[in-house]
Amino acid sequence: MDGDRGTVWRSKQSRASSRRPHSITIDMHRTTVVSGLTYQPPRHDANRRIATYSIHLSRDGKTWGQAVATGSLAGDAMTTTLSFAPKGTRFVRLTATAETDARSPRLSAREINLLGDPGTTPASVIDLPRDGWTASGEEAGAKGSDARLVLDGDRGTVWRSKQSRASSRRPHSITIDMHRTTVVSGLTYQPPRHGANGRIGHYSISTSSDGIAFAPPVATGTWRDDDSVKGATFTRPATARYVRLTATTEASGRETFSSAAELQLSGPAKPAVHGVWGPVKGFPLVPVATAVLPNNKLLAWSAYAHDRFGKAHGYTQTATMDLTTGKISRRRVANTRHDMFCPGTATLADGRVLVTGGSNAERASIYNPATDKWTSTSNMKTARGYQGMTLLSSGDAFVIGGSWSGNPAASKNGEVWSPATGTWRKLPGVPVKNTMTADPKGRRRADNHQWLHATSNGRVLHLGPSKQLNWISTKGDGTITPAGTRADSKDAMNGNAVAYDIGKLLTLGGATAYENAPATRRAYTVSLNHSAHPVSARTGDMAQARAFSNSVVMPDGKVAVFGGQSTPVPLSDARSVMNPEIWDPATGRFTSMASMAVPRNYHSVANLLPDGRIFTGGGGLCGNCATNHPNGAIFTPPYLLKPNGTKRPRPHITSATPAKVEHGTKLPVTTDSAISSFALVRAGVATHSTNNDQRRIPLNYRTKGANSYELSIPADSGIALPGTYMLFALNKRGVPSKAAILTVGSASSTPRHVRPPQQNAS
């Protein structure tokens, strides 16, 4: 902590039997909010760099509790930020569980610095209901500037304190009376939308039970000088009726008054209502793309580097997390000569993952989880990046769009890859121009991240992000036919779509342009079941406008959406949305969940895991920037939790499930308790807010005896695309079992064909 990068801490050199773990503890000698630490490894002593770690917090230096973060590092000399949920603490302990070279008996660090409150929405909280609240404070005396306007839900109305002489400018304060005593753990502040004057800079927050005696501040800090929503995490939850925000400076010293458009208080989330977040898990790269594998592992990759992208380098950094042990292994894949940043993705019928284009825009690679090997297949006819891709009912793969990479003058029309031949064929009858948005920056931004839903007979519904929908046939030269619009939706670039039921999809968020355009709160359902053309309808709005978010369908048919920004700006965390939401198809309404610890925006991902929880991670990949997030966290949805936060009893599938089942067959299943429903959820690949392969299929079944069932696998491969599925059994409370993994469809209809395997990079 001496600020000298030339001086180094080293742990004790001990016998091999007692080498690890080694730890270093920082005592701040005061309690304050901490949200992470930066670790500078030794510059030249590569063997002694930390490889795996855990972080613990303590208020007294004795009681440490569970780790707030664990993970793996890249092993290079770069300074790395290790994030965790903001929390009030005095002691921070970094423990190294392994070093880069296992032969070294010591670990070292050049510098360690702690990070304070990030100023975003406090983690693991939920907004408190504001009914009955009042506010009081110094008013400017002008009409329409009184304190109650911070509680009216209108960002256009503003409270403003008195404008006084320079000698008595500060402090200014505003006090919220909740008219009931409750636990409060954070505050969010919305500056005025129009005009910079009066934005609060340095602040303090105090609480009171009677409105007279206020306790010492539970939060202090300085907010950035911009119009985004600001947050303050309390050093400790406070039981209070009154909360006072005091402004001691204006953000840039422009004015003598303070102002606020909205104030919101938050309290600890209720597990059975709002879910629970696990500790932040560090990755040795920014997980820009992720795939759930049939062997209970999560595959992730970034670009040629673990923290940045650029040009076409011909190799990719990958990492694999074992979901059983939590361990993460890292690999540099070079044998396919493919930088797989910003690709198209599809999960194949036999469980392999096809990755196309990106930085090496014409290349195509395949990962086989059964052998843990990457191989090449033939190049695409058209070089692409940011394209949309999906598996077809035939087992072939369809791709369209992607003007971010490759020849910018070339039209990124549709083409299809065959697993039988390992080759591509063009679809001249499927021009990309019919699917583009009206982005003001033209084609490079207008045909990206297509939302595609494969159906029967090799057909695909293109349902966004353009407001125009299209039916695509992939037979022969292909055809594309207009299929109406998505109700009254505008273009919704960087929104997403997810199939939550058979022939039923939900689309969420997005913006009329790729960046710097307001995102929307709107969501729409698209039904394919009752008409030759899709029927679109607006459903309930999200609580927050989002672009760059990710959506995941859950076993019970609900859809969870994570992260995003109210205005999309690539490689930025400004205007981040920190509270996930879950949409219920039975009501059409969204419910806010416990807030995240780390923003998840551009280059973030989300995946349903086989145990019914949800992984979300990534964001950034911009080199030496403040918005790289080489980490993730697992969200436990409410359906798995009791009110006290403990796990609900969940059903178990007790019968052995076959590795493969054919379309149109019956599947016998036994469980340890009564079941109310069964569902298949397809394992997909997430990147750039899209996961075209994920879909949920509720199964028809009949009861054969006590806890014995016979499930009907859909006969139509357009309903159940061939490939890897997670089979969930749900009880009457909607609690899902851990999934049984099986392949639906015959692999014989989609024979494997790749180039001869080459030596894998390590």
Side-chain angles (χ1 to χ4, degrees):
M1 296 185 292
D2 63 356
D4 184 349
R5 298 175 66 184
T7 59
V8 176
W9 162 75
R10 288 178 179 169
S11 63
K12 288 182 180 180
Q13 185 164 351
S14 54
R15 292 176 297 175
S17 61
S18 59
R19 284 180 185 172
R20 277 169 229 86
H22 296 311
S23 65
I24 183 168
T25 303
I26 295 173
D27 180 359
M28 296 181 288
H29 293 276
R30 60 184 179 277
T31 298
T32 189
V33 173
V34 182
S35 64
L37 62 84
T38 58
Y39 164 68
Q40 292 184 4
R43 185 174 299 165
H44 304 294
D45 199 358
N47 292 344
R48 292 167 180 159
R49 295 170 185 159
I50 295 175
T52 61
Y53 67 90
S54 63
I55 300 172
H56 293 76
L57 307 180
S58 175
R59 288 180 175 269
D60 58 9
K62 299 177 182 178
T63 305
W64 293 92
Q66 295 182 341
V68 293
T70 62
S72 302
L73 299 179
D76 57 23
M78 300 296 293
T79 299
T80 303
T81 298
L82 311 181
S83 300
F84 47 85
K87 190 174 182 180
T89 190
R90 171 176 166 174
F91 298 87
V92 179
R93 175 172 291 169
L94 171 64
T95 299
T97 52
E99 72 283 349
T100 305
D101 185 341
R103 295 168 296 181
S104 175
R106 288 191 290 184
L107 291 163
S108 59
R110 280 186 290 159
E111 288 288 309
I112 295 178
N113 291 300
L114 301 182
L115 304 177
D117 192 341
T120 55
T121 302
S124 297
V125 301
I126 201 73
D127 289 348
L128 296 174
R130 296 194 296 184
D131 56 292
W133 290 11
T134 57
S136 59
E138 305 165 356
E139 271 86 60
K143 184 179 179 181
S145 64
D146 56 289
R148 63 186 176 184
L149 297 176
V150 301
L151 302 175
D152 65 356
D154 184 351
R155 293 176 58 187
T157 59
V158 175
W159 161 76
R160 197 173 83 172
S161 67
K162 291 180 179 178
Q163 188 166 359
S164 54
R165 293 174 299 174
S167 60
S168 59
R169 286 180 185 173
R170 303 290 184 289
H172 297 143
S173 65
I174 183 170
T175 302
I176 294 174
D177 180 359
M178 296 181 286
H179 291 273
R180 54 186 176 272
T181 299
T182 190
V183 178
V184 188
S185 54
L187 175 146
T188 53
Y189 159 67
Q190 173 64 66
R193 179 181 293 174
H194 304 293
N197 293 345
R199 292 175 184 161
I200 296 173
H202 190 271
Y203 66 88
S204 66
I205 301 170
S206 299
T207 63
S208 171
S209 59
D210 59 8
I212 300 173
F214 281 80
V218 291
T220 60
T222 303
W223 284 318
R224 297 187 309 272
D225 184 18
D226 60 36
D227 64 354
S228 64
V229 177
K230 313 294 192 295
T233 300
F234 293 1
T235 55
R236 61 189 182 279
T239 301
R241 171 177 166 175
Y242 298 87
V243 178
R244 175 171 291 168
L245 169 64
T246 300
T248 53
T249 68
E250 198 240 11
S252 290
R254 290 176 292 258
E255 277 293 351
T256 61
F257 62 86
S258 300
S259 60
E262 289 289 306
L263 293 178
Q264 176 66 59
L265 302 178
S266 53
K270 299 177 181 179
V273 179
H274 309 116
V276 167
W277 284 97
V280 176
K281 184 75 174 180
F283 275 69
L285 49 76
V286 175
V288 177
T290 46
V292 175
L293 305 178
N295 52 7
N296 204 38
K297 293 182 179 180
L298 182 76
L299 173 69
W301 67 92
S302 54
Y304 81 94
H306 69 277
D307 64 346
R308 66 196 68 203
F309 66 92
K311 299 183 179 179
H313 293 263
Y315 54 88
T316 304
Q317 304 296 333
T318 73
T320 303
M321 181 169 71
D322 188 318
L323 297 172
T324 302
T325 65
K327 292 184 178 179
I328 300 174
S329 58
R330 182 187 178 200
R331 178 189 302 174
R332 178 178 178 267
V333 176
N335 63 299
T336 63
R337 305 186 301 280
H338 188 183
D339 184 340
M340 295 178 279
F341 170 69
C342 291
T345 59
T347 304
L348 299 177
D350 56 8
R352 295 176 301 154
V353 179
L354 175 64
V355 183
T356 61
S359 290
N360 284 111
E362 74 289 343
R363 302 290 295 170
S365 299
I366 298 176
Y367 174 73
N368 188 340
T371 61
D372 190 29
K373 290 183 178 180
W374 287 88
T375 51
S376 296
T377 188
S378 57
N379 291 348
M380 290 184 291
K381 301 292 185 182
T382 302
R384 313 168 185 272
Y386 279 6
Q387 63 268 35
M389 192 167 170
T390 184
L391 194 76
L392 300 173
S393 59
S394 63
D396 292 352
F398 168 74
V399 63
I400 190 170
S403 290
W404 176 82
S405 189
N407 181 356
S411 294
K412 313 295 182 173
N413 300 336
E415 58 183 299
V416 168
W417 177 82
S418 167
T421 63
T423 59
W424 296 87
R425 61 181 176 88
K426 287 186 175 182
L427 298 176
V430 186
V432 71
K433 65 180 182 180
N434 298 48
T435 68
M436 293 163 60
T437 68
D439 197 293
K441 291 191 175 181
R443 177 164 34 182
R444 189 171 183 271
R445 287 303 200 192
D447 75 338
N448 301 323
H449 316 313
Q450 306 272 19
W451 311 343
L452 306 173
H453 180 71
T455 63
S456 306
N457 302 314
R459 298 178 78 210
V460 175
L461 176 65
H462 159 258
L463 67 157
S466 67
K467 63 183 179 181
Q468 174 68 48
L469 280 62
N470 296 278
W471 278 115
I472 296 171
S473 171
T474 60
K475 291 184 177 181
D477 288 342
T479 60
I480 185 166
T481 306
T485 58
R486 203 170 46 254
D488 61 351
S489 172
K490 299 178 180 179
D491 290 343
M493 181 60 73
N494 297 315
N496 42 72
V498 57
Y500 65 91
D501 204 335
I502 297 172
K504 298 179 181 180
L505 298 103
L506 177 72
T507 72
L508 308 101
T512 54
Y514 200 97
E515 55 187 317
N516 298 316
T520 182
R521 299 168 51 214
R522 293 189 176 191
Y524 295 84
T525 57
V526 180
S527 175
L528 314 182
N529 295 331
H530 304 293
S531 172
H533 294 291
V535 176
S536 302
R538 187 173 173 183
T539 184
D541 289 350
M542 295 181 288
Q544 304 288 334
R546 303 172 190 261
F548 294 138
S549 62
N550 289 276
S551 295
V552 172
V553 64
M554 298 157 61
D556 59 0
K558 296 178 181 178
V559 176
V561 55
F562 297 87
Q565 295 170 291
S566 58
T567 299
V569 180
L571 307 175
S572 167
D573 280 343
R575 298 176 176 83
S576 294
V577 182
M578 302 299 287
N579 283 88
E581 299 180 55
I582 290 181
W583 176 78
D584 186 345
T587 64
R589 296 178 180 175
F590 288 85
T591 301
S592 293
M593 296 289 113
S595 55
M596 306 182 298
V598 179
R600 305 294 179 196
N601 299 315
Y602 184 61
H603 291 163
S604 65
V605 293
N607 304 81
L608 179 70
L609 302 180
D611 63 3
R613 298 182 299 165
I614 299 170
F615 171 86
T616 184
L621 201 74
C622 42
N624 299 322
C625 64
T627 55
N628 272 349
H629 301 303
N631 52 55
I634 294 177
F635 176 69
T636 301
Y639 58 25
L640 291 174
L641 299 168
K642 294 180 180 179
N644 63 2
T646 60
K647 296 178 181 178
R648 286 190 183 278
R650 59 196 300 173
H652 294 85
I653 297 174
T654 56
S655 56
T657 305
K660 298 177 182 178
V661 295
E662 299 298 327
H663 290 100
T665 59
K666 305 296 183 182
L667 176 63
V669 170
T670 59
T671 61
D672 67 343
S673 55
I675 298 301
S676 294
S677 64
F678 292 90
L680 290 170
V681 180
R682 196 169 192 275
V685 189
T687 188
H688 289 82
S689 298
T690 59
N691 187 343
N692 286 328
D693 285 347
Q694 71 166 327
R695 61 178 62 195
R696 171 183 169 269
I697 305 165
L699 296 178
N700 294 324
Y701 68 93
R702 69 184 183 94
T703 303
K704 296 183 65 179
N707 304 330
S708 177
Y709 308 90
E710 185 180 75
L711 282 54
S712 297
I713 304 300
D716 187 345
S717 62
I719 292 175
L721 291 182
T724 302
Y725 283 84
M726 297 175 277
L727 171 64
F728 293 96
L730 295 88
N731 63 22
K732 64 181 181 180
R733 303 192 64 156
V735 181
S737 67
K738 292 184 178 180
I741 307 299
L742 65 150
T743 297
V744 175
S746 174
S748 62
S749 64
T750 53
R752 303 178 185 183
H753 181 94
V754 296
R755 291 181 179 177
Q758 303 176 45
Q759 182 65 41
N760 266 29
S762 60

